[in-house]
Structures are given as C-alpha cells and as structure tokens.
Amino acid sequence: MTELPIRNDLIGRSPYGAPQIEVPIRLNTNENPFGPSPDLVAELAKVVSDLGSRLNRYPDRDAVELRADLANYLNSESQVNLTAENIWPANGSNEVMQQLLQLFGGPDKSLLVFDPTYSMYEDYCRNTFTKYLRVSRNADFTIDRTVIDSALALSPDIIVITSPNNPTGTVIELSDIDYLLEKFNGMLIVDEAYAEFRATGTPSALTKLDSNPHLVVVRTMSKAFSYAGARVGYVAANPKVIAAIQLVRLPYHLSTITQAIARVALRFSDQLQRQVSLLRRERDELAIWLSEHGFEVAPSGANFLLFGTFGDRTSIWEQLVEQGVLIRETGPEGWLRVSIGTPEENQAFKTALLHVTNRTNGK
Ligand SMILES: *Cc1c(COP(=O)(O)O)cnc(C)c1O
C-alpha cells in the first residue's frame, strides 16, 4: 500500500468497519434483527422484476417519487408538514453526510461533535479536508447549555448532534436544540439515525425545520426499516439546502432499483413500526435487567444499550465471543455496547453475560 502514490494524509490509515466474527448471536452493528417480512419480500420481487427490462435507462436523477414518499412518512412519524422539496435521499446516511460535508465543509471550515459519538464523522471531515473539533459530553453523556456554550466558544462552522447518540443512546432535549439554533449561525446537523426508537412523545428535531434554514436532519432506513443492506439514507431540510446539495451530488447517484425498493418498504411502514415497538420494549426490559444485576446502563432512546463498567472490557468482550455472542467494544473505556436483538437473542446475551461475569440473579 505504502508504495502507491496516495494522499499523504491517508498513508497508514485503516478503513472504517466493525470486526465481523462468525458467531450465532450477532449484536454488534445495531442492525434490526428482523428481516423484511415475506409479504414485503414478495412485493420487492415483483417491483424488481418489472424494472429489469428498463435498466438500460438512467434512474430519475431527482428521485421525485421516493422523496414524496419519504416526506409523507416523516409527516406521519413526526407530525410535521414536509414535501418532496424538503427531502434528499442517497446511498445510506453515510453518503448523505459526505454530501453535506462536501457542501458545507472544506479546508477553511470546521465541524464539531460531542464526544463520545459515532466515529464516522471524523472520516467525513478527513475526506473533505474539514477541521474536526470535539467537545466532551457530561459524565452521564448528556449535552446541556454549559456543554453547548463550550462548543460555541470554538466557533465551528458545522455542529453535528447525534440524537439518539451512538454509542451512548442519549437523546438531546429539544429545548437544547432550540438554544443552539438561537445562538449558532452555522449549519446544525442532527443525525437521527435511531429516531424511530425514541420514547413515545419525544419530539424530533424535524419539528424545528420550518423556521430554521440552517438546520439539517439526517435519517436512515438502515435501522428501524430493517434495510441496512438496501443503503438508503436521507436529509430533511429547507428546500434551499436541498437545492444546494445538487451542486455536489454525483449524477444518477441513486439507482432505479434502490429508489423502487425504498418505496416498497415505505408502504410497509406500519408493519415495520410494530417491530420497532417490540424492540423498544426489549430495550427497556434489558436496561432494567442490567441494572438489577449490578451493571451501569446509559439511558437509551436507540436500539442498543451502552453498559459497564468493566476493569478489562476487552476480556469480557472476548469471553462473550467464546459464548457465541458478538457485541461491540466501543465508547468510553470500561463500557460495552449491545444491539437489541430478537427476544431469544437477548436471552442468550443475558445468559452469556452472567456466565462470564459470574453474577447471580440479584432477585
Ligand atoms: C448506523 C448509523 C447511521 C446509518 O448509516 P447508513 O449509512 O444510513 O447505514 C448513521 N448515523 C449513525 C450515528 C449511525 O449509528
């Protein structure tokens, strides 16, 4: 690798990716454990087969129908009033984020995150030569006005708030978003990849879009929609932001097939919502179980839990792998992250965890 004349700042770097190990229980990448249902799969087969003979043509560059469907979905999911003009989809929210950084970042700009958070933001900055700034969250992983004030003191051009946050699950209060919108003149990106898993009654940052052209909300179909393999993420923002993104997007970036299969899943959103409710219940039950058994658990609005704390978390992680359970060693020292699986997978995780930590049932 080093002999190739690649960019200096990329020499010696490793690509992003969670270690994948073949074990029976995989609770490490926050995927939805339920695959798309048989009736959804049957619909997919039909739609793809109809489109096959038309693949000689380029896709709809503007993805107009998909954008309208996504707007309708958000309108019912978050009680907002968006149209296709407010939406921009791409191949995963990863691509959407990269487009946003190509547009709002650059060599003379900076982006700020609240640590600990998702490590990909640093990569988007590196790829776009944007300066990467970080401010620590409180010890309980929350962001409050004091934390926000120290962020503003660094005068970033872009602030990213992940809510629910990965890997902590922490949800930011909407009043703190209001505070930021009032004090900050740059672009505020709220990454709501896990929004569908938040507690009922928690408002989304989408409700603030109307009056704030500097606010961008990022969503994905990878988690709640059980569609990580389809690669569909999207932005909701003021139509001016969406129009500006056109400057940096590649032509025909979203394939005809991707657009069509995303629309099929959206038609099944009620069915998928029932699975999301089940996963939320499982999460809340597992959080209670963990604290009943003497573990610390960060309050989570996502489909995973950060728990601990361990003197040697690597050893716990390895022993769980030996028991056939793969979770993720990520986040602050001492903590581990487990994605919420099916009830059976969660049970297997509990059994394995008790086994490796030698804790007996506290009740
Ligand atoms: C999983 C995740 C995403 C989703 O990325 P996709 O590219 O849409 O699969 C985005 N943001 C965060 C914080 C995530 O954890």
Side-chain angles (χ1 to χ4, degrees):
M1 266 275 265
T2 45
E3 307 92 70
L4 293 176
I6 65 170
R7 259 164 49 187
N8 284 336
D9 61 315
L10 295 180
I11 294 173
R13 304 283 295 244
S14 352
Y16 174 88
Q20 289 300 348
I21 301 177
E22 279 306 318
V23 293
I25 314 284
R26 290 183 16 184
L27 303 174
N28 67 327
T29 52
N30 300 342
E31 288 156 338
N32 195 312
F34 301 108
S37 67
D39 41 344
L40 197 163
V41 173
E43 252 332 275
L44 286 179
K46 211 155 73 202
V47 166
V48 172
S49 140
D50 287 349
L51 286 172
S53 64
R54 282 191 271 149
L55 286 179
N56 55 318
R57 303 293 176 193
Y58 281 108
D60 173 11
R61 200 172 46 209
D62 299 320
V64 176
E65 292 175 314
L66 172 57
R67 288 162 66 192
D69 289 355
L70 286 166
N72 283 337
Y73 164 69
L74 290 181
N75 290 344
S76 67
E77 196 267 344
S78 284
Q79 291 80 54
V80 285
N81 195 14
L82 306 174
T83 70
E85 313 258 274
N86 295 103
I87 306 291
W88 180 250
N91 294 283
S93 67
N94 287 166
E95 187 183 20
V96 153
M97 281 297 300
Q98 181 145 305
Q99 291 178 341
L100 289 170
L101 268 279
Q102 286 173 325
L103 180 64
F104 295 111
D108 50 347
K109 306 272 186 162
S110 61
L111 174 147
L112 182 142
V113 302
F114 297 95
D115 259 347
T117 193
Y118 188 46
S119 61
M120 275 299 296
Y121 305 125
E122 188 168 8
D123 287 25
Y124 307 136
C125 284
R126 187 197 67 195
N127 293 345
T128 57
F129 306 97
T130 306
K131 190 169 176 199
Y132 185 63
L133 305 170
R134 30 175 114 200
V135 161
S136 293
R137 291 167 173 261
N138 293 316
D140 63 358
F141 309 129
T142 56
I143 297 173
D144 57 16
R145 290 182 183 208
T146 316
V147 174
I148 292 173
D149 287 340
S150 28
L152 294 172
L154 299 176
S155 310
D157 296 290
I158 305 165
I159 293 180
V160 177
I161 293 183
T162 316
S163 183
N165 184 42
N166 182 5
T168 65
T170 321
V171 176
I172 192 171
E173 297 282 333
L174 206 61
S175 58
D176 289 325
I177 299 225
D178 280 333
Y179 180 72
L180 243 174
L181 286 168
E182 193 185 304
K183 302 266 167 175
F184 179 53
N185 294 321
M187 292 303 298
L188 176 61
I189 300 176
V190 183
D191 184 344
E192 292 195 346
Y194 299 97
E196 284 92 345
F197 297 101
R198 69 199 190 274
T200 327
T202 312
S204 155
L206 292 168
T207 56
K208 299 290 169 185
L209 279 180
D210 250 0
S211 40
N212 296 289
H214 288 221
L215 172 65
V216 176
V217 180
V218 175
R219 292 269 187 129
T220 181
M221 295 184 78
S222 291
K223 311 288 163 51
F225 274 91
S226 292
Y227 240 32
R231 310 306 301 133
V232 186
Y234 53 104
V235 156
N238 186 282
K240 283 188 202 149
V241 173
I242 306 300
I245 293 174
Q246 311 308 305
L247 296 169
V248 296
R249 59 122 179 86
L250 293 172
Y252 312 113
H253 71 299
L254 203 58
S255 85
T256 304
I257 301 290
T258 305
Q259 294 185 33
I261 65 175
R263 297 187 66 210
V264 171
L266 287 164
R267 280 195 260 134
F268 284 79
S269 44
D270 289 345
Q271 191 184 84
L272 291 159
Q273 189 53 48
R274 285 196 289 279
Q275 284 178 0
V276 167
S277 307
L278 187 152
L279 291 170
R280 282 158 62 193
R281 278 199 305 278
E282 284 287 310
R283 171 199 62 209
D284 294 341
E285 279 171 29
L286 184 57
I288 292 168
W289 182 91
L290 283 165
S291 53
E292 278 175 359
H293 287 77
F295 298 98
E296 262 190 84
V297 197
S300 171
N303 65 337
F304 55 82
L305 290 167
L306 192 72
F307 69 100
T309 56
F310 304 104
D312 183 356
R313 68 168 170 178
T314 309
S315 155
I316 300 287
W317 181 84
E318 284 168 355
Q319 292 179 64
L320 286 171
V321 171
E322 278 164 29
Q323 298 293 312
V325 178
L326 179 62
I327 63 168
R328 188 88 187 263
E329 185 180 358
T330 184
E333 196 43 57
W335 296 79
L336 292 167
R337 190 192 72 193
V338 60
S339 310
I340 305 302
T342 62
E344 297 73 29
E345 289 172 325
N346 301 330
Q347 187 52 52
F349 162 73
K350 290 193 235 177
T351 307
L353 184 66
L354 286 186
H355 183 81
V356 307
T357 57
N358 293 318
R359 282 177 220 239
T360 44
N361 195 318
K363 280 186 253 175

